[in-house]
């Protein structure tokens, strides 16, 4: 670090007035530390089949806030690279981010985003608004466009609890494209290779005013449908006791459902599927 050249003291850059963006600070003084800086020359194209990729993540609103969930599988071409990957992470107390895409870059981007939000709050003395958090993440994705065009794309899904929104609409969902395009979604959304199947399941399962338990079961059903038709998405692994990650954000803040609760709901869902392999049908 810069402080190493001054006998362990912090360099002048740490005492130079600047903005509230930690990413902008790194870009100015240590750009090589940014995860969005491509390690490949522009003339080279990455081989996606040699890099672990995460797959299906989803989010849906419910009565008390918003739920965000993801399967646990990472693939590398036709191989399963990891069975217990964690794709859902808290960004701060009232915001969470999940990702599909290149695992290594995604994890670095999530960590940088967490620091970005914490740095802003320390500098400004207040937390960012949820809209500002979404725009800041969109900017980070846009900075990664060069790597995305080389085959190393990261596609996050952002959720948050917005106390300034009307009652019943405080759980909000944002999606992005690889160029940093920002889109707010209503009710539910999914990203990743299994997302078309997950969204199809949520279309028939989602309804307004769902309880937390009903929302969690709907998310697990949607991930099961995604795994049923997409080989890159992993379903609940009963034998290894590996189950999807399900988290909620409410007025009380971020909470990851405890492993025993997720296991109980997953086993209940799998048992239901014994008699109805295609899952529950939509009410007419």
């Amino acid at each position: 670090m810069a402080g190493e050249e001054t006998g362990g003291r912090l360099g002048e850059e740490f005492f130079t007035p600047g903005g509230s963006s930690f990413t902008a600070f790194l870009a100015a003084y240590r750009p090589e530390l940014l995860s969005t800086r491509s390690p490949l020359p522009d003339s080279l194209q990455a081989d996606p089949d040699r890099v672990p990729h995460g797959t299906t993540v989803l989010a849906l609103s419910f009565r008390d806030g918003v739920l965000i969930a993801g399967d646990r599988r990472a693939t590398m071409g036709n191989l399963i690279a990891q069975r217990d990957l964690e794709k859902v992470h808290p960004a701060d107390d009232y915001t969470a981010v999940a990702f599909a895409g290149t695992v290594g870059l995604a994890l670095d981007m999530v960590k940088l985003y967490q620091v970005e939000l914490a740095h802003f709050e320390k500098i400004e003395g207040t937390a960012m608004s949820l809209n500002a958090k979404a725009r800041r993440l969109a900017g980070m994705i846009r900075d990664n466009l060069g790597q995305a065009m080389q085959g190393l794309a990261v596609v996050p899904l952002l959720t948050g609890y917005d106390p300034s929104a009307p009652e019943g609409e405080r759980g909000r969902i944002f999606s992005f494209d690889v160029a940093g395009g920002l889109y707010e979604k209503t009710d539910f959304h999914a990203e990743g290779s299994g997302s078309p199947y997950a969204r199809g399941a949520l279309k028939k399962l989602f309804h307004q005013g769902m309880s937390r338990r009903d929302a969690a079961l709907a998310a697990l059903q949607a991930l099961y449908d995604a795994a049923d038709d997409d080989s890159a998405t992993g379903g609940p692994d009963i034998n290894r006791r590996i189950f999807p990650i399900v988290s909620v954000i409410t007025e009380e803040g971020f909470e990851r459902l405890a492993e025993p609760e997720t296991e109980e709901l997953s086993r209940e869902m799998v048992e239901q599927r014994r008699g109805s392999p295609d899952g529950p049908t939509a009410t007419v």
Side-chain angles (χ1 to χ4, degrees):
M1 294 295 291
E4 293 175 354
E5 299 178 0
T6 57
R9 298 191 300 273
L10 293 176
E12 291 185 4
E13 62 270 22
F14 291 94
F15 301 97
T16 302
S20 55
S21 171
F22 183 74
T23 304
F25 174 80
L26 278 185
Y29 296 105
R30 294 297 297 274
E32 70 277 7
L33 297 179
L34 286 172
S35 60
T36 53
R37 182 175 181 269
S38 178
L40 301 175
D42 294 339
S43 58
L44 291 184
Q45 184 80 10
D47 183 355
D49 289 345
R50 294 180 179 270
V51 181
H53 276 67
T55 47
T56 309
V57 294
L58 60 83
L60 66 153
S61 60
F62 68 103
R63 183 175 57 212
D64 299 321
V66 63
L67 178 147
I68 185 167
D71 81 306
R72 307 293 295 276
R73 178 174 291 179
T75 58
M76 191 164 57
N78 64 318
L79 303 177
I80 297 176
Q82 188 172 345
R83 301 180 188 274
D84 59 352
L85 178 66
E86 300 205 1
K87 305 174 187 176
V88 180
H89 301 268
D92 63 14
D93 291 342
Y94 291 94
T95 318
V97 61
F99 66 84
T102 307
V103 172
L105 294 180
L107 290 173
D108 281 350
M109 187 178 291
V110 168
K111 292 175 184 176
L112 181 59
Y113 185 58
Q114 292 168 333
V115 175
E116 181 80 4
L117 298 188
H119 181 78
F120 178 93
E121 187 168 352
K122 290 177 179 178
I123 296 298
E124 299 294 336
T126 185
M128 282 188 197
S129 68
L130 186 53
N131 287 334
K133 292 175 186 177
R135 290 194 297 271
R136 189 63 61 92
L137 183 55
M140 295 174 65
I141 299 167
R142 192 174 302 113
D143 290 340
N144 192 59
L145 181 59
Q147 295 194 82
M149 294 299 99
Q150 292 176 313
L152 303 175
V154 176
V155 184
L157 183 62
L158 180 70
T159 60
Y161 183 84
D162 187 355
S164 65
E167 186 75 31
E169 301 177 13
R170 293 177 179 172
R172 299 174 64 190
I173 302 167
F174 299 89
S175 72
F176 308 84
D177 60 36
V178 294
L182 171 61
Y183 314 94
E184 183 165 5
K185 301 297 182 178
T186 302
D187 298 334
F188 60 84
H189 189 62
E191 292 286 1
S193 59
S195 61
Y197 314 108
R199 285 198 296 267
L202 290 173
K203 280 183 179 180
K204 66 180 181 180
L205 296 175
F206 177 85
H207 60 84
Q208 297 291 340
M210 299 176 78
S211 67
R212 188 181 90 154
R213 190 177 194 278
D214 287 345
L217 276 172
L220 292 171
Q221 292 278 11
L223 289 172
Y224 192 102
D225 277 350
D228 202 31
D229 287 296
D230 173 42
S231 61
T233 303
D237 191 331
I238 301 295
N239 293 331
R240 294 185 177 89
R241 299 186 65 187
I242 299 173
F243 303 98
I245 293 176
V246 181
S247 298
V248 297
I249 312 173
T250 66
E251 186 179 11
E252 304 299 322
F254 175 90
E255 178 190 359
R256 174 170 167 169
L257 269 61
E259 191 75 18
E261 182 177 2
T262 307
E263 179 175 354
E264 177 192 349
L265 293 173
S266 297
R267 289 182 181 276
E268 177 182 332
M269 178 202 62
V270 170
E271 188 60 34
Q272 292 173 356
R273 293 270 179 160
R274 293 183 188 277
S276 181
D278 293 328
T281 58
T283 56
V284 179

